[in-house]
Amino acid sequence: MDVTKKVPVREQAPDVRNKNFEEVCLGYNAEEAVLEASRCINCKNAQCIQGCPVSINIPAFIHQVKENNFEEAYKIIGQSSALPAVCGRVCPQESQCEGKCIRGIKGEAISIGKLERFVADWARENNIKPEKPTEKKGKKVAVIGSGPSGLTCAGDLAKMGYDVTIFEALHEAGGVLVYGIPEFRLPKKSVVASEIENVKSLGVKIETNVVIGKSMTIDQLIEEEGFEAVFIGSGAGLPKFMGIPGENANGVFSANEYLTRSNLMKAFDDDYDTPIARFKKVAIVGGGNVAMDAARTALRLGAEVHIVYRRSEAELPARVEEVHHAKEEGIIFDLLTNPTEILADENGWVKGMKCVKMELGEPDASGRRKPVEVEGSEYVMDLDAVIMSLGTSPNPLISSTTKGLDVNKRQCIIAEEETGKTTKTGVYAGGDAVTGAATVILAMGAGKAGAKGIDEYLSNK
């Protein structure tokens, strides 16, 4: 065995998977996991832990995998993470834990994410559950939102002995894990539902179809319902658009709407009658992970799919793995291209999109080279649907109905990074509601910080 190389991970073949919604990556079996774990040199000063937003003791759990002690490995991960089967699939490990791996200096980093996924999947298949809390503090905490930050905060607080209730606006718990990330990247029944059940097994209650700010306000939760602290993990679900002519045409979607229709309404399943049209030629405007998810979903629903992005491939914000998978599956990348107008037919449906070619100039404030329009390069791309994937911002509903809760100019809640403490006493916040759209694992890290902040607040109250 060449210890400088990762044990390869089995995947569905590209020309097979681009026609189904089953998981692309098949993960390690036990033998492969032990072999990969044996590559770890168990550093004394483990930088991989520093790179993990929830500070999992990575060398310790990998050592247990190496020794075939999978249950012990799960317990070690469970001390830090409430959603290991999720994180093992969707975390950007290459820029976090694996990006810090010493083994990666002279070879390939340890497949930390794939090992975490293996351990979590093994625990689920063998019905291993997280350890239940032993103490009860008799204090009620409300968590708003059942996405990664809310689930993490609720799980950590429950382990500390608090009586926790999550309030979820949608009919199904999971937040972005169920409505945003496609089935082929994150299976809903086998993975997400199981992780949520694990959080509930700690004593956490989840109430769905409760829109905080409409059904009930945060002030009412505290003053009338007896909650002594509140954590806001409501995410960033308000989509952004370009503001170009024609964006109101039929067949223009935000990536949020398109993915929600597909994921929560089961548009990919022929047994469901779901209100989402199957288009022939679709353009996805944007280059992040959500753009890749929308593109790969549209492809599986039968369309020819183009990613339209105004910078070059080097500037694509999506994970390298997601771009690689999209290309393998047959998605066309129209780079250095910018839309200027969406064209509609006489019935108001999309028929095309005017675009111009771009070239990269000097770096902008973000450090990326600024795209500049090439004169005389305008052309029309024939299409029947356009999906805008340009990022999201928090919905102002909660902040506008809560006295004393300050937000910044982007409508993000102002909160301390270390504790999640907001400008309103007893109210904490984290995840996309504070940072704007970011990753699952960063939201989980904020959920952990919020739980710690709430515990300190209630312990000193």
Side-chain angles (χ1 to χ4, degrees), residues 153-187:
C153 184
D156 279 16
L157 287 168
K159 287 176 188 174
M160 296 173 194
Y162 291 100
D163 180 358
V164 185
T165 303
I166 296 175
F167 295 97
E168 168 57 47
L170 293 175
H171 64 283
E172 196 170 319
V176 71
L177 306 176
V178 294
Y179 72 72
I181 303 174
E183 187 76 8
F184 54 82
R185 277 219 296 140
L186 186 62

Side-chain angles (χ1 to χ4, degrees), residues 179-180 239-241 253-261 284-285 290-291 294 387-390:
Y179 72 72
K240 296 176 183 174
F241 287 87
F253 298 86
S254 70
N256 271 39
E257 178 189 1
Y258 190 77
L259 289 168
T260 300
R261 282 173 180 256
I284 317 294
V285 181
V290 177
I387 299 171
M388 294 291 181
S389 183
L390 306 167

Side-chain angles (χ1 to χ4, degrees), residues 48-64:
C48 55
I49 301 175
Q50 310 301 320
C52 174
V54 295
S55 304
I56 293 171
N57 189 339
I58 292 166
F61 101 74
I62 289 180
H63 177 73
Q64 295 302 328

Side-chain angles (χ1 to χ4, degrees), residues 397-409:
L397 179 63
I398 288 174
S399 58
S400 65
T401 57
T402 308
K403 296 174 199 162
L405 186 67
D406 290 351
V407 296
N408 63 22
K409 62 183 180 182

Side-chain angles (χ1 to χ4, degrees), residues 3 25 42 152 169 264 277-278 304 313 345 408 424 431 441:
V3 295
C25 178
N42 204 12
T152 299
L264 275 184
R278 295 190 176 226
E304 176 189 312
E313 185 168 344
D345 63 19
N408 63 22
K424 185 176 176 70
I441 189 64

